[in-house]
Amino acid sequence: MAGSIRLRKQPNVWELRVFLGRDASGKVKHRYSTFVGSKRDAERELARQLLLLEEAPAPVLEGTKWNKRTTFNEAIEAWRENGWGDLSPKTQMAYQQLWNKYIREDIGTRSISATGIYEVERYLRKLADGGLGESGIRQIRAILHRSCKLAGKWSNGAIPNPISGAERPKSPRRDPVRAPSITEVRTILSALEASGDLRLHAFCRLAIATGMRRGEIAAIRLNDIDFVTGELRVDEGVVIGSGGVTVKTPKTAVSIRKLFVDQTTLDLLGKLRDQQLALAARCELELSDDAFLFSFDPGCATPPYPDVFSKNFAKFRTDYAIPKDIHLHSFRHFAATFLDALVSERQKQARMGWSTTHMSRHYTDVVSDEDKRAAEAIGEVLS
């Protein structure tokens, strides 16, 4: 909060000016008053006005007061009530978990105005020393930065943003996700077949053969697969939010695409379809055309949680002595690596659903012969 005094033309007559912040258009606002007396008394009066203004409640959202005592928790709460709805359900859930676990009982209780950059950096380093990874620290800093930025706007500039100048601690470099070798992939597929878990087997086989994301596979419906031509439509993904799973269209257009699937993978998907149909019949249900292929629901009306497949694969990996550094996402890396020497970079990007500055097109209606050759080649290698 800032203010100033200025002597008027008359002796011992002072103009007091108090900074009130900025309006919605960014224009600076001041409050002016006149004081008669000595300069020292005028300075005391100005200090009194500044103190009253600083401590005065300024409700911008119901239940929130913007002043020097406003805490990080209050700012985050206000943002949650007025802004989190614009975030995806998955992001909302992630932010809520990080807030509850790392912020609420720690820096969240502190006054924003009384917290400096040094304290913020010490807090972030404490998280790193406690074992929190780079991604988690980056997200926590983003939560704090955005909430403080909004608090500054909603308080007309009265609340600073100590996060803007704070740097994240450097994290030790982690090994990138490893693409398994062809031998390892063949071993995994053989073990999956031996396990008798048809759903997990089909899920992993499709991930290996196409490089699809796990959320994309979980969202596959019966009418997305043409069991005659071998074409597979990818136009949805499953995301996890606080209210459960949600099926959403991809954020980028290039993720909407059609792929060819090799015959062995297609046959495995057909077996899973038949299994789901048989289960529905036993429950006296009928599967609709838009039923979710990998659903655990007898009627396949609800999509599965992608996390379930990650946990099931982790258990399978332990049971069959699969290397611990192979995860579901490793299969996407395997597919990308395999395609390097097989198809053009443009086709690789299209099949994987990547978006770059050099390629904005996406496959929604046409699947190229090159993609079909890629599917057949990877199918032969995995057989």
Side-chain angles (χ1 to χ4, degrees), residues 217-272:
I217 298 177
I220 291 296
R221 303 173 187 265
L222 293 182
N223 56 13
D224 288 329
I225 308 172
D226 189 327
F227 286 95
V228 176
T229 65
E231 291 184 5
L232 171 64
R233 182 175 62 240
V234 183
D235 58 3
E236 291 179 314
V238 172
V239 296
I240 305 173
S242 57
V245 292
T246 305
V247 179
K248 299 185 65 176
T249 55
K251 292 181 179 180
T252 58
V254 292
S255 292
I256 301 175
R257 59 203 188 277
K258 277 190 177 181
L259 308 173
F260 274 112
V261 180
D262 67 275
Q263 191 59 49
T264 303
T265 302
L266 194 66
D267 292 342
L268 194 59
L269 296 177
K271 289 181 180 179
L272 179 60

Side-chain angles (χ1 to χ4, degrees), residues 174-220:
R174 295 184 176 182
D175 294 334
V177 176
R178 180 174 72 87
S181 67
I182 292 177
T183 300
E184 288 176 318
V185 167
R186 287 173 176 167
T187 299
I188 290 171
L189 290 175
S190 297
L192 283 166
E193 184 176 8
S195 72
D197 189 338
L198 178 59
R199 185 184 281 103
L200 182 62
H201 185 190
F203 192 98
C204 294
R205 172 82 191 203
L206 188 57
I208 293 168
T210 64
M212 290 173 62
R213 304 169 178 92
R214 65 172 195 167
E216 293 174 335
I217 298 177
I220 291 296

Side-chain angles (χ1 to χ4, degrees), residues 253-254 256 346-347 350 354 358-363 366 368:
V254 292
I256 301 175
R346 187 179 186 187
Q347 180 59 48
W354 288 334
H358 302 290
M359 190 200 78
S360 60
R361 73 181 182 92
H362 62 277
Y363 281 17
V366 179
S368 70

Side-chain angles (χ1 to χ4, degrees), residues 71-142:
T71 66
F72 289 97
N73 281 336
E74 290 172 333
I76 297 173
E77 179 68 34
W79 177 27
R80 185 176 67 174
E81 298 300 323
N82 184 30
W84 274 25
D86 298 334
L87 306 174
S88 71
K90 183 177 181 180
T91 301
Q92 290 183 43
M93 185 176 72
Y95 281 6
Q96 184 69 54
Q97 291 174 343
L98 290 171
W99 181 19
N100 290 340
K101 188 172 183 179
Y102 297 105
I103 300 175
R104 190 184 292 275
E105 301 300 327
D106 198 313
I107 196 173
T109 62
R110 294 178 59 93
S111 161
I112 298 175
S113 299
T115 304
I117 295 177
Y118 175 75
E119 287 81 11
V120 173
E121 291 186 347
R122 282 195 63 186
Y123 162 73
L124 296 177
R125 188 166 299 279
K126 182 179 71 172
L127 296 178
D129 293 341
L132 185 61
E134 181 179 0
S135 176
I137 294 175
R138 183 174 64 251
Q139 286 185 301
I140 287 176
R141 187 188 181 281

Side-chain angles (χ1 to χ4, degrees), residues 6-35:
R6 182 172 66 91
L7 182 64
R8 309 277 308 254
K9 293 182 178 180
Q10 301 90 339
N12 292 328
V13 178
W14 306 88
E15 179 186 78
L16 309 183
R17 186 179 71 167
V18 175
F19 174 68
L20 299 178
R22 297 178 183 271
D23 60 18
S25 64
K27 185 178 180 180
V28 175
K29 293 291 185 180
H30 292 97
R31 185 178 69 196
Y32 297 88
S33 61
T34 301
F35 179 82

